[in-house]
Amino acid sequence: MKKLLVALNVHIRSILDIERILTYIDTLPYKQEEILKLDAQIVKAQEEIEKIQKYKLTSYEHFVDKVITKEEYRNHVSRYNAKIQKAEKLILKRKQEIEDIINNKTPTNLWIENFKQYQTLSSLHESSCVIDGRNICI
């Protein structure tokens, strides 16, 4: 059991080396490129909102000029509001993704943080591990 414990701790240390590699990778340009892609999506969504706002204004003008009925106007506004809401949600999501990238809270980094919290095994208990010849599940 002691050999297994030592082997597991060695394996854990090698996984922590992955963290150092990922930290280095975070300094590489791909991180900035990913942020630029997300930022471009935000700009596109903001432009879409502006375009839809113009459509809403045009619909209002058509309603006032009696080109469309009140019912048609309401339908237009309802559709436009749904599109605006969808674009706003996308903007919020992309901003959160950018924040996560900046703060290293991507899924790759989160599991390593969790792993680091329990990085050293001091003992093994039968209730905490299952060995089936080749696999150890803790």
Side-chain angles (χ1 to χ4, degrees):
M1 196 66 122
K2 185 168 169 96
K3 286 183 182 180
L4 178 60
L5 188 60
V6 170
L8 286 173
N9 281 321
V10 168
H11 186 68
I12 289 169
R13 282 193 296 281
S14 69
I15 289 175
L16 292 176
D17 284 339
I18 292 172
E19 180 195 19
R20 286 187 279 281
I21 292 168
L22 289 173
T23 300
Y24 169 72
I25 288 172
D26 280 341
T27 65
L28 298 176
Y30 96 91
K31 190 173 180 179
Q32 289 96 1
E33 289 174 17
E34 189 63 29
I35 291 173
L36 289 174
K37 286 179 191 176
L38 294 169
D39 195 47
Q41 291 175 11
I42 291 171
V43 169
K44 187 176 178 181
Q46 289 170 333
E47 290 170 352
E48 182 70 13
I49 289 171
E50 289 174 18
K51 183 173 77 171
I52 294 168
Q53 293 288 13
K54 289 177 186 175
Y55 290 159
K56 280 178 68 174
L57 180 59
T58 301
S59 288
Y60 178 73
E61 290 169 351
H62 287 157
F63 169 65
V64 169
D65 293 340
K66 300 190 189 304
V67 175
I68 61 174
T69 66
K70 188 174 188 176
E71 183 67 27
E72 289 172 317
Y73 171 69
R74 286 183 179 163
N75 287 337
H76 289 191
V77 169
S78 177
R79 235 180 31 249
Y80 295 145
N81 286 340
K83 288 182 179 184
I84 289 171
Q85 190 174 27
K86 183 178 177 182
E88 288 172 341
K89 284 181 182 179
L90 177 75
I91 290 169
L92 289 174
K93 183 177 179 183
R94 295 302 180 252
K95 285 182 177 182
Q96 183 61 51
E97 289 172 1
I98 289 172
E99 190 174 321
D100 289 347
I101 289 171
I102 291 169
N103 295 322
N104 287 324
K105 290 185 178 178
T106 60
T108 303
N109 293 339
L110 290 178
W111 80 263
I112 290 176
E113 289 302 315
N114 190 35
F115 191 86
K116 280 174 33 183
Q117 185 177 356
Y118 304 103
Q119 65 181 301
T120 303
L121 298 175
S122 58
S123 65
L124 289 176
H125 304 283
E126 287 183 32
S127 63
S128 65
C129 67
V130 176
I131 303 172
D132 69 0
R134 293 179 4 147
N135 299 311
I136 300 172
C137 179
I138 299 174

